Amino acid sequence: MTSQKMPVIFFGRLEERKGLCTFVEAVQLLDPEIKSRVTILFLGKVVPLYSAELSHLNSQQYIERELGTHFSYEILSNLYSSQAIQYVQDLEYPVVCLTSPQENFPNSALEMGQLPVNLVVSDTGGFRETLQLVNRESGVYWFKPKDSHSLAQALSQALMNYFQTPPVCEQAALEQLNQRLLAQKLEYIQETFSQSSILEDSPSKITIALTHHNQGKYLIDCLSSIEAQTYNEVEVIVLDDASTDKYSQDMFEKAHTLFPNYQFIQLDSRLGLGAVFNHLIDLSTGDYFLLLDPNINLLPCALEKFAEAAGQSKATIVICPRKEIGAVDRIVNFSGETLPTILKSDIYGQACALFSVPFLKKFRPTESKDIHTPIWEIIAATVATGKKIIYYPYPLYEYRVTFENTIPKGDPLPREQYSLRNYLAQIPPSDWSPRQIYMLITAIQQLQSQRQYSQSEVEELRSQISNLQSQLQQARNEAEQAKTRTEAMETSKFWKLRAKWFRVKRTLGLPTDE
């Protein structure tokens, strides 16, 4: 690395869920002058990428493909954590980027927040709280998670203040904090081992609820993927929500014959997704609840992974990426979000997630036939009440996407949004998480600030319009004056004689071009 270059560091495992792709895209968006003055340092382990379009590459190959010879960069993948931290400390005025979009307790923020370096940080759950632990506010530039343009803007601002060294806590205070966090970590590890030993004696029971309406084409495939699971503590309930086509009715009867150990329920009149969801919860005798539809096929050992993650973490929800097949071929990730973000759109769509049954019985989704987003409501309630959501990093199921059932882009109808607000309003205030209340208040304040900023822009625009109108009126006046002078000239003796002279020249065949 040359001394003239400004070091910009991607700090963390080189993978998509840590924001690698967003970071690389942001670097490519930087101003050409800034690009020529920076060197990019990737401090993290090289790993295979898992999204469908990048699954043939590892992170080093992806970086080489995207940055090529157009950037100065270096990949340092063999450093231990302490070595990587020391490496950053030894650099002159580094800018460290923490780009993970997932809500967690990021050790990277705790480590980098203690160093006198400028930070460009994803504004997602966990980072703010962690930096507050070390009283770190100065030299921090926030960007919107998964938004490469926002990251490029924040990075540009940090580089403009390149030579500024932000103040950090005194070393004694940091050592006390680290000792306290280490003690808490050891305590949590001990609790986890204790819980794991209990789980070995009493594994959690999972209720798998499969619902369908006129979806008989893939019903047997879905049930076969359940039958192939090796986890034993399972009950399976298959519910036909009053299918009307003969084929789906026949496939339901055939499934009943093929899988006699499962419970089959056929409704005479359609209830709708929310009411069916609640009905199945009432029938459940499990500790956890997994809702499927015929387009879902569980991957091998999916139930073990779900149960293990739920048991060890005591989470209310376990969710994993969705592997889409059929009309599309891709992996969709569900990262941690704050309540204001969740309220905007149904980002979880057709997510297959494991839910705690006691939580579902307390926060039952809306039963209106016009509302088809029970998963959205349950996840919103989990976030609002501060319950734990665990994100398993790899897909545990495939979702078959056809041209008939293409998953919506996440923009709900106003009635779904209105229903969700009413649903959340029914949660008692005592159940709300203080953090989520704080996030909502912050979002309101930001909207108010944006509104004030917009009003100032409107006033400025009005002023510009007024100036333009004045200039236009002045131009009209000048044009009117010119017209008056021209008319006066045309009525003078000189112009009359001039017109007669041109007529004579035309008669004589002489040139008339002057």
Side-chain angles (χ1 to χ4, degrees):
M1 187 185 69
T2 61
S3 58
Q4 292 89 1
K5 297 282 189 177
M6 298 183 290
V8 174
I9 300 170
F10 179 92
F11 192 84
R13 192 179 177 92
L14 305 183
E15 58 183 339
E16 292 154 287
R17 67 188 184 95
K18 294 295 185 182
L20 175 64
C21 296
T22 303
F23 175 78
V24 171
E25 291 169 5
V27 168
Q28 294 170 329
L29 292 171
L30 291 175
D31 184 87
E33 182 180 354
I34 295 178
K35 292 179 185 178
S36 65
R37 295 168 53 201
V38 302
T39 185
I40 313 299
L41 300 172
F42 295 91
L43 300 187
K45 184 177 180 180
V46 173
V47 298
L49 302 180
Y50 54 81
S51 64
E53 60 273 18
L54 299 176
S55 59
H56 62 293
L57 300 173
N58 63 29
S59 43
Q60 180 172 345
Q61 292 168 333
Y62 167 73
I63 292 169
E64 291 172 347
R65 187 190 75 177
E66 294 298 316
L67 301 186
T69 60
H70 305 293
F71 292 85
S72 170
Y73 70 90
E74 186 176 1
I75 301 173
L76 302 171
S77 61
N78 297 319
L79 299 179
Y80 292 108
S81 177
S82 58
Q83 293 174 321
I85 295 171
Q86 187 61 51
Y87 183 86
V88 174
Q89 283 183 295
D90 293 341
L91 292 172
E92 187 175 9
Y93 304 112
V95 176
V96 179
C97 298
L98 307 176
T99 60
S100 173
Q102 295 185 328
E103 183 171 357
N104 54 21
F105 182 84
N107 287 323
S108 57
L110 186 64
E111 294 164 346
M112 293 295 104
Q114 301 180 39
L115 303 182
V117 299
N118 286 311
L119 301 175
V120 178
V121 188
S122 172
D123 194 4
T124 190
F127 279 118
R128 283 189 181 272
E129 293 83 351
T130 305
L131 291 175
Q132 287 172 1
L133 282 175
V134 294
N135 295 323
R136 182 63 187 276
E137 296 180 358
S138 178
V140 180
Y141 302 85
W142 299 97
F143 71 93
K144 184 178 179 182
K146 300 182 181 180
D147 188 330
S148 56
H149 290 273
S150 177
L151 173 52
Q153 183 177 7
L155 184 54
S156 299
Q157 292 173 348
L159 292 171
M160 288 176 61
N161 300 320
Y162 173 62
F163 294 106
Q164 295 183 8
T165 301
V168 295
C169 278
E170 295 181 0
Q171 189 62 33
L174 291 175
E175 289 179 359
Q176 290 179 359
L177 172 64
N178 289 331
Q179 289 295 327
R180 189 174 78 250
L181 292 174
L182 178 60
Q184 290 179 353
K185 183 176 182 179
L186 292 174
E187 182 181 344
Y188 292 149
I189 291 174
Q190 184 61 41
E191 289 180 1
T192 300
F193 277 119
S194 300
Q195 292 170 2
S196 297
S197 61
I198 295 173
L199 285 171
E200 290 176 0
D201 297 330
S202 54
S204 300
K205 183 177 181 180
I206 298 176
T207 298
I208 299 178
L210 172 58
T211 70
H212 86 105
H213 174 77
N214 293 337
Q215 295 170 290
K217 184 176 181 180
Y218 302 113
L219 180 62
I220 303 299
D221 290 345
C222 178
L223 289 170
S224 297
S225 76
I226 298 173
E227 186 71 12
Q229 299 297 310
T230 54
Y231 190 76
N232 295 322
E233 293 299 316
V234 176
E235 67 173 354
V236 180
I237 307 174
V238 186
L239 187 144
D240 181 350
D241 191 15
S243 291
T244 55
D245 73 86
K246 184 67 166 56
Y247 179 78
S248 292
Q249 293 172 350
D250 292 342
M251 293 307 296
F252 183 81
E253 292 299 327
K254 182 178 180 180
H256 196 175
T257 303
L258 292 173
F259 304 96
N261 295 327
Y262 298 169
Q263 182 180 354
F264 286 80
I265 302 172
Q266 191 164 24
L267 301 179
D268 295 328
S269 58
R270 192 174 187 189
L271 294 180
L273 189 55
V276 165
F277 193 99
N278 289 332
H279 179 55
L280 291 168
I281 293 168
D282 291 334
L283 295 175
S284 170
T285 61
D287 304 298
Y288 287 93
F289 184 89
L290 187 67
L291 182 68
L292 306 180
D293 73 53
N295 294 299
I296 292 175
N297 286 337
L298 295 177
L299 294 174
C301 301
L303 296 183
E304 280 92 346
K305 300 299 184 183
F306 270 127
E308 181 182 359
Q312 291 184 359
S313 64
K314 296 298 181 184
T316 297
I317 297 178
V318 179
I319 197 167
C320 69
R322 178 178 64 230
K323 182 180 181 182
E324 296 182 355
I325 60 174
V328 296
D329 183 12
R330 62 180 180 178
I331 293 178
V332 179
N333 289 285
F334 304 105
S335 61
E337 301 288 353
T338 60
L339 192 57
T341 304
I342 290 176
L343 286 169
K344 292 179 183 178
S345 62
D346 184 9
I347 57 175
Y348 292 93
Q350 300 293 335
C352 174
L354 190 72
F355 298 91
S356 164
V357 170
F359 187 85
L360 294 180
K361 290 184 176 180
K362 182 176 181 180
F363 298 98
R364 302 165 70 87
T366 303
E367 294 195 359
S368 170
K369 290 184 179 180
D370 296 328
I371 305 301
H372 310 287
T373 52
I375 303 298
W376 188 22
E377 293 181 344
I378 295 300
I379 290 177
T382 308
V383 173
T385 55
K387 301 302 181 184
K388 186 183 291 186
I389 301 178
I390 292 297
Y391 297 90
Y392 190 82
Y394 304 106
L396 297 176
Y397 67 100
E398 293 178 334
Y399 188 91
R400 182 180 291 100
V401 178
T402 64
F403 293 106
E404 293 78 17
N405 75 335
T406 301
I407 297 174
K409 297 297 182 182
D411 296 328
L413 296 174
R415 65 186 178 193
E416 273 86 10
Q417 290 180 317
Y418 177 76
S419 175
L420 178 62
R421 292 195 296 270
N422 283 341
Y423 173 79
L424 292 174
Q426 297 173 19
I427 298 176
S430 58
D431 287 337
W432 275 77
S433 162
R435 178 177 181 274
Q436 293 304 322
I437 294 175
Y438 168 79
M439 296 300 293
L440 286 173
I441 293 173
T442 301
I444 293 171
Q445 291 173 338
Q446 290 175 346
L447 287 173
Q448 289 174 337
S449 299
Q450 291 174 2
R451 181 183 177 189
Q452 292 172 359
Y453 179 70
S454 298
Q455 288 176 342
S456 66
E457 284 185 327
V458 170
E459 292 301 325
E460 182 180 354
L461 184 60
R462 286 175 177 171
S463 176
Q464 293 175 357
I465 292 173
S466 178
N467 291 335
L468 289 173
Q469 288 176 336
S470 299
Q471 295 174 12
L472 180 61
Q473 186 60 46
Q474 182 179 353
R476 286 174 177 170
N477 293 338
E478 292 175 354
E480 189 65 31
Q481 292 173 3
K483 181 181 178 182
T484 302
R485 287 196 297 269
T486 301
E487 290 176 348
M489 292 172 63
E490 289 176 347
T491 57
S492 67
K493 290 182 178 180
F494 170 77
W495 284 98
K496 290 179 179 178
L497 290 172
R498 186 173 184 274
K500 291 179 179 179
W501 169 241
F502 277 112
R503 283 198 295 271
V504 170
K505 292 179 74 174
R506 281 195 296 271
T507 302
L508 298 175
L510 298 175
T512 59
D513 55 352
E514 62 173 70

